[in-house]
């Protein structure tokens, strides 16, 4: 105990810095000094919650599993006092290579803050910072309401929102950031505040697009919509095509007139063991669609002749089920995202060739290429300046994901992903390269992810986080 006091005294005097502590000392200090300040139900562990990708993942010395917003604030204050880094984790899906935690800091696991509640009129939901999309959709479905979320069950609901938030309902509701009414935020000084259009509006603007750079959101109040069971259904599923149909599929997606109820994804993906042959898969989605309207809306895809068709009417709580395999946690998955304006069949054939060359390696069969196409009419009816999210003008998002266990593949994986990105970027049809921050690799120039919002974000950052404590997610400096 005496030695711990000695460390604290030296830290306070500014003599010791984070890098002077061993991970064991960080862990001991957290256990001895922070534990008494935490609420009942919180706990401290050495085992970190699993992440979607282990490639360049943050490596904490210890994990504080919080149970209240006060625990979050207390942990920030403690880390500031100790001059040790900290990082929040919601779904653990962030794949960016910008994390710097290297066995020297505290991971604040938000999983215990996973409550999702609805107002009596079902027009507002309060989403806890630990809620995954799965939790949020189940709560909304039980309440008889719809909420904007992403399309994969394992992703953190607010983790996705804070970078923008694409999802099945965005043609009707806009981006996740467009649905936030207010947030409870623990800022770099360890203070808790409500952030909304009327309370700290500058921070409200900044956090809706660049949230992880400004504070830890402990909960958010978002818009929701009361919905009958029929209003909580969609026509969706998978259409699988043989690889020779790729150009036709790409052209069909380019030519689709996406109504607000519609979206479509395109995947290059393994057909599964034992052959693991790569296939071209699309997932059409029509909100409140049925066999007639669904097949009509996506007639151009059905006409190409899928070899597998699982499309059906699915209830709200099953819309994301088809993507559960994509949620698998663990292996290395360096990922390269990019925004593009047009689907160019020749480019997609080149990416296919790169993909199949990498995907056929033993152990890399799970690799994926992904394209997302949404109706953007609603999102574009909301002012560009309403939030720091800067990509309303981008039509499509594509990602190349190398998926494997063996670090010996790292070099080839990065070569595959960056070569695919180069192909897309070279004909992206944009004035300058753009990438949705939540799909970005981490090696991009900050202008690529923050666009024209960067200068204003820098000004706000200097005021709100002058010591740059929130520095591990596309660090705004
Ligand atoms: C399988 C999969 C499916 C995806 N599907 C979609 C989708 O449908 N739509 C979409 O828009 N994106 C999607 N994404 C991208 C996703 O939005 C990003 O990966 C996002 O960063 C994940 O958030 P998380 O909470 O799961 O991850 P985390 O790694 O926990 O968080 C990512 C970053 O945000 C910070 N953060 C998390 N929560 C908070 C908080 N409460 N306050 C402050 N900072 C916080 C973390 O510190 C970290 O820096 C998907 C990603 C994957 C891997």
């Amino acid at each position: 105990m005496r030695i711990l006091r000695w460390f604290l005294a030296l830290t306070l005097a500014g003599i010791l810095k984070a890098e002077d502590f061993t991970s064991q000392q960080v862990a001991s200090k957290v256990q001895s000094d922070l534990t008494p300040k935490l609420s009942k139900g919180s706990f401290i562990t050495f085992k970190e919650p699993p992440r979607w990708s282990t490639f360049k993942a943050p490596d904490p010395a210890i994990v504080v599993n919080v149970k209240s917003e006060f625990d979050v604030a207390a942990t920030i204050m403690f880390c500031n006092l100790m001059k040790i880094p900290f990082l929040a984790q919601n779904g653990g899906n962030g794949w960016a290579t910008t994390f710097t935690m290297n066995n020297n800091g505290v991971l604040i696991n938000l999983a215990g803050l996973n409550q999702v509640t609805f107002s009596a009129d079902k027009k507002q939901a309060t989403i806890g910072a630990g809620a995954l999309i799965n939790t949020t959709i189940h709560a909304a479905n039980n309440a008889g309401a719809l909420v904007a979320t992403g399309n994969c069950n394992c992703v953190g609901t607010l983790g996705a929102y804070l970078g923008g938030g694409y999802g099945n309902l965005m043609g009707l509701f806009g981006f996740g950031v467009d649905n936030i009414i207010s947030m409870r935020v623990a800022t770099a000084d360890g203070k808790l505040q409500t952030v909304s259009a009327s309370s700290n509006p500058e921070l409200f603007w900044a956090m809706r697009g660049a949230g992880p750079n400004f504070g830890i959101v402990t909960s958010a109040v978002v818009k929701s919509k009361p919905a009958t069971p029929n209003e909580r259904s969609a026509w969706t599923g998978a259409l699988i095509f043989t690889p020779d149909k790729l150009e036709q599929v790409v052209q069909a997606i380019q030519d689709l007139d996406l109504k607000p109820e519609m979206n479509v994804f395109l995947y290059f993906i393994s057909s599964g063991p034992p052959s693991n042959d790569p296939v071209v898969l699309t997932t059409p989605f029509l909100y409140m669609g049925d066999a007639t309207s669904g097949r009509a809306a996506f007639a151009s895809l059905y006409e190409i002749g899928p070899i597998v068709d699982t499309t059906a009417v699915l209830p709200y709580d099953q819309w994301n089920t088809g993507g559960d395999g994509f949620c698998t946690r663990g292996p290395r998955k360096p990922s390269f995202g990019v925004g593009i304006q047009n689907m160019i069949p020749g480019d997609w054939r080149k990416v296919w060739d790169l993909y199949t060359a990498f995907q056929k390696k033993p152990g890399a069969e799970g690799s994926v290429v992904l394209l997302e196409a949404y109706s953007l009419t609603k999102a574009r009816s909301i002012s560009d300046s309403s939030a720091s999210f800067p990509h309303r003008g981008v039509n499509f998002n594509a990602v190349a994901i190398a998926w494997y266990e063996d670090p010996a593949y790292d070099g080839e994986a990065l070569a595959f992903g960056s070569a695919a990105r180069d192909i897309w970027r070279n004909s992206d049809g944009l004035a300058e390269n753009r990438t949705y921050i939540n799909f970005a690799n981490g090696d991009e120039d900050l202008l690529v992810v923050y666009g024209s919002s960067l200068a204003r974000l820098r000004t706000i950052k200097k005021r709100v986080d002058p010591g740059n404590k929130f520095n591990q997610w596309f660090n705004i400096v």
Side-chain angles (χ1 to χ4, degrees), residues 35-43 65-71:
T35 305
K37 296 184 170 61
L38 299 177
S39 65
K40 194 168 167 239
S42 64
F43 60 100
N65 300 276
V66 295
K67 200 62 191 168
S68 77
E69 63 175 16
F70 302 106
D71 296 339

